[in-house]
Amino acid sequence: MERNLRARLDEVEGRLERACRRAGRLRSEITLVAVTKTVPAKVAALLPALGQLDLGESRPQELWKKAAALPGNVRWHLVGHLQRNKIDKTLPITHLIHSIDSVRLLQAIETEAAAQDRQVDVLLEVNASHEPQKHGFEPEQLPAMLAELDKLKHVGIRGLMTMAALEADAEECRPTFTALRELRDRFRPQCPPPHALNELSMGMSNDFEVAVEEGATLVRLGTVLFG
Ligand SMILES: *Cc1c(COP(=O)(O)O)cnc(C)c1O
């Protein structure tokens, strides 16, 4: 299993490097988040020793469970929906929450982060593909959102996240990724410091190279690493 994982990480690394070269980007601009939701903690536990310290989960309870079983140097990313009653246990162990999908959730995180006296980094999930059934903010909601950010003292907005539609051909995801980058570039000047729209979390197993070409700074990979 460990040899297999090492080989898959190496292969992904090569694909990331080639995508960077095509796009004239540095590999160091991109964080690979290994999404461990389909594997047990004992498989996830092989990753830190292979140098893979950024791990992601889509469900808070599973993140708590794996965080308790793995070394403390892992940086945990929550990539799926966070229910408000799970905020208190999630904040102390999470490096970055990718999936802020409502103002109510943002306010609840601010309240809990203040109570815990901690700073929390988050991304705003955007429905950049305009699919009706998707989580996340509509692009049109962003200006009003950004105007509210002054009130947040314990939550730092770090960028935007999106999920592309599942397409047979990764090229079909490109317009979604381009749209997210353009939203970030357009709204970055309106984002009140210390908030900053820098990060772009986009790209999964079937489309990450296209996402890197379009400016992804975080790619979230599961299947391509774990099968
Ligand atoms: C599961 C998941 C991923 C990883 O998806 P793969 O296609 O398996 O790489 C990425 N992002 C989110 C939000 C997920 O839920």
Side-chain angles (χ1 to χ4, degrees):
M1 187 68 206
E2 188 173 339
R3 272 219 334 256
N4 189 3
L5 257 184
R6 190 191 301 270
R8 284 171 177 248
L9 274 169
D10 284 349
E11 197 206 316
V12 164
E13 196 53 48
R15 290 172 63 182
L16 280 171
E17 278 165 18
R18 286 190 292 278
C20 284
R21 213 167 306 138
R22 283 196 297 280
R25 301 186 63 200
L26 297 173
R27 170 64 184 91
S28 57
E29 296 170 20
I30 299 146
T31 300
L32 163 57
V33 178
V35 179
T36 52
K37 68 185 178 198
T38 59
V39 294
K42 68 177 198 300
V43 173
L46 299 170
L47 291 162
L50 297 171
Q52 180 60 40
L53 291 176
D54 286 278
L55 306 187
E57 280 290 331
S58 59
R59 291 164 173 235
Q61 285 115 313
E62 188 62 23
L63 190 153
W64 305 342
K65 207 174 90 190
K66 287 202 176 88
L70 267 65
N73 60 346
V74 169
R75 291 180 291 267
W76 285 103
H77 297 250
L78 181 68
V79 301
H81 183 64
L82 177 59
Q83 299 83 3
R84 280 178 298 148
N85 64 358
K86 303 200 171 64
I87 293 172
D88 55 347
K89 287 176 81 170
T90 300
L91 296 190
I93 49 179
T94 306
H95 171 71
L96 182 66
I97 300 172
H98 292 229
S99 40
I100 302 296
D101 53 11
S102 72
V103 172
R104 221 158 69 127
L105 176 62
L106 201 52
Q107 286 164 344
I109 293 175
E110 169 66 23
T111 303
E112 182 60 30
Q116 295 185 12
D117 192 21
R118 59 175 81 249
Q119 290 293 322
V120 179
D121 285 335
V122 306
L123 307 177
L124 304 177
E125 181 169 354
V126 179
N127 181 9
S129 57
H130 276 290
E131 283 174 276
Q133 75 282 16
K134 277 278 176 72
H135 276 298
F137 296 98
E138 297 302 317
E140 299 72 35
Q141 293 177 287
L142 284 176
M145 270 292 301
L146 294 174
E148 295 287 306
L149 296 185
D150 270 339
K151 297 177 189 144
L152 302 174
K153 304 295 179 209
H154 297 83
V155 180
I157 310 293
R158 297 282 161 255
L160 305 178
M161 178 271 220
T162 202
M163 305 253 288
L166 201 60
E167 302 286 1
D169 178 359
E171 270 310 317
E172 290 180 43
C173 301
R174 191 181 295 273
T176 301
F177 300 145
T178 310
L180 196 72
R181 170 167 45 80
E182 289 175 352
L183 287 170
R184 185 215 36 201
D185 294 346
R186 174 143 60 100
F187 291 118
R188 187 145 52 178
Q190 299 173 33
C191 188
H195 302 287
L197 291 185
N198 290 329
E199 308 296 335
L200 289 176
S201 172
M202 57 190 197
M204 301 175 26
S205 289
N206 63 335
D207 55 25
F208 69 96
E209 288 145 305
V210 174
V212 166
E213 290 169 12
E214 294 303 322
T217 66
L218 295 139
V219 292
R220 312 178 306 266
L221 305 184
T223 313
V224 74
L225 294 173
F226 305 112

